[in-house]
Amino acid sequence: MSRAPPDAAGDLFAANLKGSLLAVASSAFIGVSFIVKKKGLRRAGAAGPRAGVGGYGYLLEPLWWVGMITMLIGEIANFVAYMFAPAVLVTPLGALSIIVSAVLAHFILNEKLQRMGVLGCVLCIVGSTVIILHAPEEETPSSVEQIWHLATQPAFLCYMAFALVVSLILMAHCAPRYGQTNIAVYIGICSVIGSLTVMSIKAVGIAIKLTIEGINQAGYFQTWLFATISAICIIIQLIYLNKALDTFNTAVVSPIYYAMFTSLTILASAIMFKDWSGQSISSIASEICGFLTVLSGTVVLHSTREYDQTISPDLYTPLPPIYWHIQGNGETVKQKEDDSLSADFITVVRQDYFV
């Protein structure tokens, strides 16, 4: 989208400010929801099949639903934020949810946040501030038909085709084989589908905003198509995000999901809405630097946190050494290190004696 005339700059700044505040509130709720849902998934996993291996017992866990409601509140705030501000501004602010989840995980989930984690939090805050100060001023489309025109541009159609092909490959081929061992599979699905979710949600949000302002958009089929795409994408995201949270540590899921999801969303928004059209090179460079600063903060935050000890440490307790001996009559026996050795035993130290 092109920039608005100078006389509308004040209104666009106010809209960006509203979007920023809503995005920050959204991050707080979503950060809390990560922790609450994780607790619910742990409880459900203790009583039956885990979500990571296809179990759906968490649907009967009240704590998981509390987390879902909290996330829903955060997503609603995020949804409204997209009505006022461009995705290039709203999406990177999601990093603040990582700070919230990191601090709460330290106290609630015993996923320890080390001292360097404070530096990661500071980097996220600094980067987010830079992004807010240099965010583009996006003119709101005047109808859902205009958004449909943007969505059917050849460039964005190519991106959608790429996203769908990658998602289908990850879901049909990679997830059954590598989902439990490679975090990029589940997070990749969430991120690629998530970039399409944001675009469709932004379209629905703008349609609702225009309808509230008196320009009814409910009569356009595009409005309902965008709403259907949003619902489908959100369901897919929730399924695979639950799998990722149940299979891997929150300290790993949050930053990787943020990095992949935000990068792809910024790319999709730049293609569809032309967010950077009309901006100076210095402003675009500042936004990119701000995003890289936030990304660096998430990496530092991740690298200084401990992993879940999901497997009993007793499994890793070293066993006492065992020595093999051959008696004079050729019979092979074994002894532990603390057993007394008979003078008649000959210690064998070469492995090829037993091949």
Side-chain angles (χ1 to χ4, degrees):
M1 297 294 294
S2 58
R3 295 186 63 183
D7 57 353
D11 292 338
L12 291 178
F13 175 80
N16 275 5
L17 181 59
K18 291 178 183 177
S20 300
L21 294 175
L22 286 166
V24 171
S26 169
S27 295
F29 281 104
I30 292 175
V32 172
S33 75
F34 267 106
I35 305 304
V36 179
K37 286 174 63 181
K38 180 83 173 185
K39 291 283 287 185
L41 289 170
R42 284 183 176 180
R43 287 188 182 180
R50 295 165 41 241
V53 294
Y56 293 95
Y58 60 85
L59 295 176
L60 302 176
E61 175 56 51
L63 191 59
W64 184 84
W65 282 107
V66 172
M68 276 300 301
I69 293 172
T70 307
M71 175 173 276
L72 179 62
I73 295 173
E75 292 296 349
I76 290 174
N78 201 48
F79 173 78
V80 178
Y82 283 115
M83 296 184 188
F84 295 98
V88 173
L89 168 60
V90 175
T91 308
L93 293 180
L96 300 178
S97 66
I98 299 177
I99 298 176
V100 175
S101 65
V103 174
L104 293 180
H106 176 83
F107 294 103
I108 299 176
L109 300 180
N110 293 322
E111 297 175 4
K112 300 302 180 183
L113 177 63
Q114 307 300 329
R115 293 181 179 177
M116 281 296 292
V118 178
L119 174 61
C121 294
V122 171
L123 288 173
C124 288
I125 294 172
V126 171
S128 297
T129 303
V130 172
I131 292 172
I132 291 173
L133 293 177
H134 295 87
E137 296 175 345
E138 181 183 75
E139 184 179 2
T140 303
S142 59
S143 70
V144 74
E145 287 184 319
Q146 187 176 355
I147 304 174
W148 179 257
H149 173 72
L150 295 173
T152 53
Q153 298 173 99
F156 190 71
L157 288 176
C158 290
Y159 177 82
M160 282 195 298
F162 168 78
L164 291 175
V165 169
V166 170
S167 299
L168 289 174
I169 291 174
L170 288 175
M171 286 187 285
H173 177 75
C174 298
R177 295 171 174 81
Y178 313 112
Q180 294 292 306
T181 56
N182 191 332
I183 192 174
V185 176
Y186 292 153
I187 298 301
I189 296 170
C190 292
S191 302
V192 175
I193 294 296
S195 66
L196 300 180
T197 304
V198 170
M199 298 303 102
S200 55
I201 281 180
K202 185 172 178 64
V204 174
I206 292 174
I208 293 175
K209 181 183 177 184
L210 291 172
T211 300
I212 293 174
E213 293 174 350
I215 308 174
N216 188 12
Q217 302 295 305
Y220 296 100
F221 82 92
Q222 292 96 333
T223 301
W224 301 104
L225 180 60
F226 282 129
T228 302
I229 293 173
S230 300
I232 294 173
C233 291
I234 288 172
I235 291 172
I236 294 174
Q237 276 186 274
L238 285 176
I239 291 173
Y240 284 96
L241 183 58
N242 281 329
K243 289 178 179 289
L245 284 172
D246 190 58
T247 306
F248 303 98
N249 188 281
T250 309
V252 182
V253 173
S254 296
I256 295 179
Y257 179 48
Y258 168 79
M260 296 178 67
F261 170 69
T262 304
S263 300
L264 291 172
T265 300
I266 289 175
L267 175 62
S269 183
I271 295 173
M272 179 173 172
F273 290 99
K274 297 180 174 61
D275 290 326
W276 288 331
S277 177
Q279 274 201 299
S280 65
I281 298 298
S282 61
S283 294
I284 296 175
S286 297
E287 291 170 42
I288 294 175
C289 289
F291 172 62
L292 292 177
T293 302
V294 174
L295 187 58
S296 300
T298 62
V299 172
V300 172
L301 202 54
H302 157 57
S303 63
T304 57
R305 291 173 65 187
E306 296 179 352
Y307 294 94
D308 278 335
Q309 300 298 325
T310 55
I311 302 178
S312 172
D314 291 340
L315 296 178
Y316 297 98
T317 302
L319 296 173
I322 297 177
Y323 300 96
W324 289 88
H325 306 276
I326 299 179
Q327 288 182 290
N329 58 6
E331 181 181 355
T332 302
V333 297
K334 63 181 179 179
Q335 282 189 306
K336 295 182 181 180
E337 183 180 39
D338 55 354
D339 292 338
S340 59
L341 299 179
S342 169
D344 296 332
F345 288 174
I346 303 174
T347 303
V348 178
V349 294
R350 291 185 56 188
Q351 184 181 3
D352 55 359
Y353 277 85
F354 304 101
V355 178

